[in-house]
Amino acid sequence: MDAFRKQLDVLMGANRNGDVREVNRKYYDRDVCRFYLVGLCPHELFQLTKMDMGPCPKMHSLQLRKEYQEAKEKGVDNYDRDLEDVIDRLIVECDRKINRALKRLEDDDAKAAIAISVSEVTQTPEIDEMSKQIKEKLKEADQYDFEGLTDMKIRVMEVVDELRVKRADKQSMLLLDAFNKDRAALPQPVPNPPALPPFPAVAPDPHIQERINEKLKRAEELGEQGMVDEARKEMDEAEALRKLTPRQEPTGDPAKFTAADVRITDQKLRVCDICGAFLSVYDSDRRLADHFGGKLHLGYMQIREKLAELQVCY
C-alpha cells in the first residue's frame, strides 16, 4: 500500500487529496527526499528485484522539486553531492560483485573469466540516438509533471517504454553477434564421434549368483504346481538380483571426451559490466533482450549515467 501511495504521489503529487501538510513543507525540510529533488531516488530504481530497497521513507513532491530547482538556479542550495555519494556507493558495491564473479569464474575456468563490456559492444550511433531520445522524453515527462498534465506524462512514458524495448532488442542482437564470435573460438563438437565401446561383461558376485539360481529353481517348482503368481514373484526377485551385478566403468584418457560432452555442463558464462548479471554465450536473443530491458540492468545503467552527469558538473 505504501509503495502504491508513493507511485501516486510521484504521478499526481502528494497533495492530490488536498492535504495541506505538503503546502506547509519546504523543500529543505528533513522529511523531504533530497535524492528525488535532484532527480533520481534509488528507492524507485530496483522495485521488485533482488536489489529492492523498499519504498522511500521520505516525501516525494513535484511542487517541492520545482521549488528546489528554482533555488538551485539562484545558487541557494545544491544537493547534487548528496546523491552522488549514495549512487557512488551503489556502483562501488556493484563493481565489487562483478570482481567477485570474475574471480569465481576464473577459479572454475580461466577461459570463462571475461567481463563483457556492454557499453563498448553495444556502442553504435543508433543506440546512442535512442538513448538520447529516452533522456529527452524523460525530461519532457518531468515538465508535464510540473505543469500537472498527468495524461500527457502517461503518453510520453509509453513512448519511453517503446524506445527502451526497441533499444534492448537492438542491444541484444549486437551482443549476440559478439557471442557468436566468442563461440567460434570454443572447441567444436566432433562431427561424427566414434561410438563408445560397450561395457565389458563382469561376472556376478558368487553369493548373488547362488541366490539367483535358488530363485529360478523355486520359480520352476512353483510353476509345475500351478502357482503362477508365486512363480512370477520369484522370477521378478531373481531379475532384481541380476541387476545388482556391478558394471565396470570404461577406462581411458579423459582428454578424449568430445567437446559436446564438455558443453553440457560448461555454459561459458560472461559477466555484464553494467549490473554484474551472469550471461551465457549460449543465451538466445530473447534472453539477452530481457536482460537489457530488465529493471536491474536499467537501474544500474541509469545511476552510472547520473553519476557521470553529476561529476561533469564539478
Side-chain angles (χ1 to χ4, degrees):
M1 181 61 70
D2 289 339
F4 183 66
R5 186 179 296 110
K6 289 288 184 183
Q7 292 177 357
L8 286 177
D9 289 345
V10 172
L11 190 62
M12 303 176 64
N15 197 37
R16 64 187 183 280
N17 296 323
D19 188 351
V20 295
R21 289 180 301 169
E22 180 184 357
V23 178
N24 294 331
R25 282 189 173 88
K26 301 298 182 181
Y27 71 84
Y28 47 76
D29 287 344
R30 298 186 64 178
D31 60 347
V32 175
C33 179
R34 291 189 172 186
F35 308 136
Y36 178 77
L37 297 180
V38 177
L40 179 66
C41 177
H43 288 266
E44 297 179 338
L45 293 178
F46 304 111
Q47 293 177 355
L48 303 179
T49 72
K50 61 183 179 181
M51 288 294 295
D52 195 332
M53 304 171 67
C56 181
K58 297 190 176 183
M59 171 180 282
H60 289 190
S61 167
L62 292 171
Q63 180 60 34
L64 296 181
R65 178 195 276 184
K66 184 177 181 180
E67 293 177 7
Y68 163 73
Q69 294 293 341
E70 293 173 351
K72 179 182 176 183
E73 292 174 1
K74 296 177 182 178
V76 176
D77 277 311
N78 191 332
Y79 300 148
D80 287 1
R81 181 70 70 178
D82 294 359
L83 178 59
E84 180 181 349
D85 291 342
V86 170
I87 61 179
D88 184 59
R89 288 196 295 270
L90 289 174
I91 292 175
V92 167
E93 179 56 35
C94 181
D95 290 342
R96 286 176 181 168
K97 181 176 73 171
I98 292 173
N99 291 331
R100 288 195 298 267
L102 289 175
K103 181 63 169 61
R104 172 184 167 190
L105 292 178
E106 186 176 5
D107 292 340
D108 295 340
D109 181 359
K111 294 180 179 180
I114 300 176
I116 292 295
S117 180
V118 174
S119 55
E120 293 181 5
V121 172
T122 63
Q123 192 77 23
T124 66
E126 184 179 0
I127 296 294
D128 291 341
E129 178 61 28
M130 283 189 283
S131 297
K132 181 181 177 181
Q133 292 178 24
I134 291 172
K135 290 181 180 179
E136 292 175 350
K137 289 297 181 181
L138 289 174
K139 290 180 180 179
E140 187 178 337
D142 282 343
Q143 184 59 39
Y144 287 135
D145 261 343
F146 290 144
E147 298 173 2
L149 301 175
T150 304
D151 291 342
M152 294 299 296
K153 179 194 174 181
I154 293 175
R155 293 176 187 174
V156 172
M157 291 306 298
E158 289 175 349
V159 175
V160 170
D161 290 339
E162 292 175 0
L163 285 171
R164 282 175 170 168
V165 170
K166 184 178 179 181
R167 182 179 64 181
D169 289 339
K170 183 63 178 178
Q171 287 176 314
S172 70
M173 297 307 298
L174 292 170
L175 187 57
L176 189 62
D177 289 342
F179 279 168
N180 286 336
K181 296 177 182 178
D182 202 358
R183 283 199 297 266
L186 298 176
Q188 299 300 309
V190 178
N192 295 304
L196 293 176
F199 290 111
V202 179
D205 181 87
H207 178 66
I208 295 179
Q209 185 61 50
E210 182 180 353
R211 293 181 60 190
I212 291 174
N213 293 337
E214 291 177 355
K215 293 289 183 182
L216 292 175
K217 183 178 180 180
R218 178 61 178 164
E220 183 179 356
E221 293 174 352
L222 292 171
E224 292 176 352
Q225 299 174 15
M227 304 174 68
V228 179
D229 292 340
E230 289 78 358
R232 183 178 293 110
K233 181 179 179 182
E234 293 292 335
M235 292 289 293
D236 291 341
E237 292 178 359
E239 182 64 23
L241 286 172
R242 185 179 287 111
K243 292 180 179 179
L244 292 177
T245 302
R247 297 179 67 186
Q248 180 176 339
E249 295 296 332
T251 57
D253 185 0
K256 293 182 180 179
F257 287 128
T258 65
D261 297 325
V262 177
R263 288 173 63 168
I264 293 175
T265 56
D266 183 2
Q267 293 298 310
K268 291 299 178 185
L269 297 177
R270 303 295 183 251
V271 183
C272 175
D273 68 335
I274 300 296
C275 65
F278 283 110
L279 301 172
S280 170
V281 297
Y282 304 116
D283 281 337
S284 65
D285 56 346
R286 187 67 266 158
R287 166 69 177 83
L288 295 176
D290 290 341
H291 167 74
F292 283 115
K295 281 189 176 182
L296 198 64
H297 182 85
L298 289 176
Y300 275 112
M301 185 170 67
Q302 194 170 344
I303 62 176
R304 289 179 186 276
E305 291 175 349
K306 188 65 175 180
L307 181 62
E309 176 186 324
L310 293 173
Q311 291 175 340
V312 168
C313 297
Y314 298 113

